[in-house]
Amino acid sequence: MAARPSAAVAADRLGAIISLDRDQRAARAMLPTAQASGPTEVQGTRWRGASRTLRSLQNWMATIGSATSDLPAHEQRTLRARSRDAFRNYPIARAALLRPRTAVVGTGVVCRPSVDYEVLGISAEEGEVYNAKLRASWERWAEDPQECDIEGTLDIYGLQGLALLSAMSSGDVFAITPMELRAGGVGELKVQLIEADRISNPDNTSDTTRCIDGIQLDGVMPVGVWVRNTHPGDRIDQRMPRWDYYAMFGGDTGRRRVLQVWNDKERPGQVRGAPFLAPILEPLKQLERFSGAELMAAVISAMLTVFIEREGEETDEAGNPLPAFDGGSLSLGNGAIVDLAPGEKANAVNPSRPNANFDPFFMSIIKQIGAATEIPTDVLLLQFNSSYSAARAAMLEAWRMFLCRRQMLVQQFCAPLYCLHMDEEVASGRLQLPGYADPIRRRAWHRALWVGPARGSMDEQKEADAARTRIETGVSNEAMETAAMSGEDWTTVITQRARELRLRKQLDVPVVASSPSPSPAGDGMGGIDGQQQGATP
């Protein structure tokens, strides 16, 4: 029998009850009440979401934490491990990470130098000459793995895809820029990607106001990173760990030396990122279990096994028929025939598979995952079974996210490397850029366009007509439409087209030109209904 509470405890409980009753009476006087199916519930707050008395919210105990407190290192390590495991083993998780990688980077986000000739005080023609020189210099370095990659395996476009994929699966990824001149090489600048697990506090010490999860801070600004010489999960390299400090900016020049590529920075003051799959890991795991169970049930139901019962058959000491164990253990199989002992009977089991409710439930969870990752279901599953307008809307919505992430990749990874490469080229004398020492003119030299894979179209004719209409009405231009439709630089396309026309003229080959059909209003403009007249030689 439980001991009776003491007088002090009873008094405390009575005081708490009186206080709660007083608060509820005050709440009733100030606020409307919410009627439930049972007794009346008291909201008690001006915002229903802040109520601690509503039954639906009583167990929701959320706490206030800073950006670093809400993502502690031990939870982050768990999220990284589970995110990578999901990427390796769960089809939907793999699709959610590979789809952005393919759309954002694909074959590469290409640099097209576009110097600000007005700030530099040069003519547009001179600017184009410099653009050609800068492009040739960049491509010489960027397209040679031995020149740009410290590992010598990927060119800059492969590094772009690896950086994006690693940042999304781990929360962030770091790139240091060592200087190393290799035999037969020209430039010294190299790119070394560092996985997120290797960035940690020296000797795994606790976080302080100046060092949080491997990021050294000067006030609120990150100024350096601590890099462990070995991966904490490496099974081969078992050396004693050592932490090396890398400053994010050069001490004398202020040049960016360490790059942090984020999956996403969600809060002010955040120093490390969370994996892309972090919010959906739990439903992903449950969905994988459900899918696996349904698959196993379907496999079992597809097996054909015949059980034979014989009267007076010879058995072993345990009463089992001897032929049943001649070939191994007793189990279901494809077309298996199993003897039963006298008196034993096989009862039929019908697992009722396939489950008719599997696909609706599966798609319901996939829709939630798609909403959380900003990837529509059609794009995530690569199944465009709906109408043209719905499928096109899904593609457009997905590309809003892809373009946003492409801009983040350019700002955090591509553009800084382009600036570092140009700094080295000028310092070595391979490029002569007037006024480069001036910070304002240097930024004018650094300007460039970054063109990634095109969005593509579901109906080329309609997209081409729409692009022509946008250009003719003045809301777009040929450079923008060329980049959007083919992912190519308009200057390159028009220059190549001019060469083709000159060659046709030299060889006396007729030039094929198309005439747009008049719009329904009869104003002579090509409509967007996909109709076009035949080609005229």
Side-chain angles (χ1 to χ4, degrees), residues 175-485:
I176 61 176
T177 53
M179 307 297 288
E180 177 183 317
L181 181 62
R182 290 173 174 165
V186 178
E188 297 183 19
L189 177 65
K190 301 294 182 291
V191 180
Q192 181 178 358
L193 293 179
I194 304 294
E195 202 163 30
D197 310 78
R198 293 179 56 190
I199 308 299
S200 58
N201 293 343
D203 299 321
N204 294 320
T205 56
S206 301
D207 291 337
T208 65
T209 56
R210 293 185 55 84
C211 186
I212 299 176
D213 206 3
I215 306 296
Q216 192 74 24
L217 301 172
D218 183 6
V220 296
M221 181 178 179
V223 294
V225 296
W226 290 94
V227 181
R228 177 173 166 152
N229 65 328
T230 61
H231 193 284
D234 198 328
R235 64 179 179 84
I236 300 176
D237 194 346
Q238 299 294 330
R239 293 176 295 169
M240 182 66 66
R242 185 190 73 250
W243 280 262
D244 300 317
Y245 179 75
Y246 291 85
M248 286 191 171
F249 303 92
D252 298 328
T253 63
R255 300 169 67 222
R256 189 67 182 263
R257 302 301 306 177
V258 177
L259 313 178
Q260 182 180 8
V261 183
W262 292 74
N263 165 53
D264 206 356
K265 186 171 183 178
E266 300 172 346
R267 298 179 59 181
Q270 188 175 348
V271 297
R272 302 297 300 272
F276 182 70
L277 299 178
I280 60 172
L281 284 175
E282 196 271 340
L284 272 175
K285 183 65 176 178
Q286 298 286 42
L287 187 64
E288 179 64 19
R289 287 172 175 167
F290 178 53
S291 301
E294 288 295 323
L295 179 61
M296 180 56 66
V299 171
I300 292 176
S301 66
M303 289 184 176
L304 172 64
T305 302
V306 178
F307 294 89
I308 300 177
E309 180 183 3
R310 300 178 181 177
E311 296 292 340
E313 184 179 359
E314 182 180 359
T315 61
D316 59 9
E317 296 179 356
N320 297 312
L322 296 178
F325 294 92
D326 289 344
S329 61
L330 178 63
S331 62
L332 293 175
N334 298 323
I337 300 177
V338 180
D339 282 331
L340 296 177
E344 294 182 348
K345 293 184 179 181
N347 295 322
V349 178
N350 182 15
S352 299
R353 290 298 185 274
N355 184 0
N357 296 322
F358 171 75
D359 191 65
F361 178 79
F362 181 85
M363 292 303 298
S364 176
I365 302 300
I366 293 299
K367 289 177 182 178
Q368 297 181 44
I369 292 175
T373 57
E374 295 187 285
I375 306 177
T377 305
D378 290 3
V379 179
L380 183 63
L381 300 179
L382 292 181
Q383 290 185 354
F384 300 93
N385 299 327
S386 54
S387 64
Y388 168 81
S389 58
R392 188 171 186 276
M395 288 185 61
L396 292 176
E397 282 300 316
W399 269 92
R400 289 159 63 98
M401 186 271 282
F402 296 151
L403 293 177
C404 178
R405 290 196 170 271
R406 180 181 296 172
Q407 179 59 31
M408 291 171 54
L409 182 67
V410 168
Q411 182 262 327
Q412 298 171 7
F413 185 75
C414 304
L417 290 179
Y418 177 65
C419 297
L420 287 175
H421 167 74
M422 194 180 299
D423 291 346
E424 181 189 4
E425 293 295 286
V426 173
S428 65
R430 289 187 289 269
L431 281 177
Q432 303 294 330
L433 304 180
Y436 193 79
D438 179 23
I440 296 178
R441 296 175 67 86
R442 183 163 63 248
R443 289 185 176 88
W445 287 114
H446 287 167
R447 284 195 57 183
L449 299 175
W450 294 87
V451 182
R455 178 178 66 236
S457 61
M458 305 186 69
D459 190 318
E460 291 283 351
Q461 186 62 56
K462 291 183 178 180
E463 295 286 349
D465 289 341
R468 182 174 62 250
T469 302
R470 287 192 293 267
I471 294 173
E472 292 174 350
T473 54
V475 298
S476 183
N477 57 53
E478 295 184 40
M480 293 172 56
E481 296 298 336
T482 302
M485 296 189 67

Side-chain angles (χ1 to χ4, degrees), residues 49-72:
S51 174
R52 294 182 180 273
T53 58
L54 294 177
R55 291 188 180 90
S56 58
L57 300 176
Q58 283 180 350
N59 295 327
W60 191 349
M61 299 299 179
T63 59
I64 292 293
S66 66
T68 54
S69 298
D70 283 348
L71 190 61

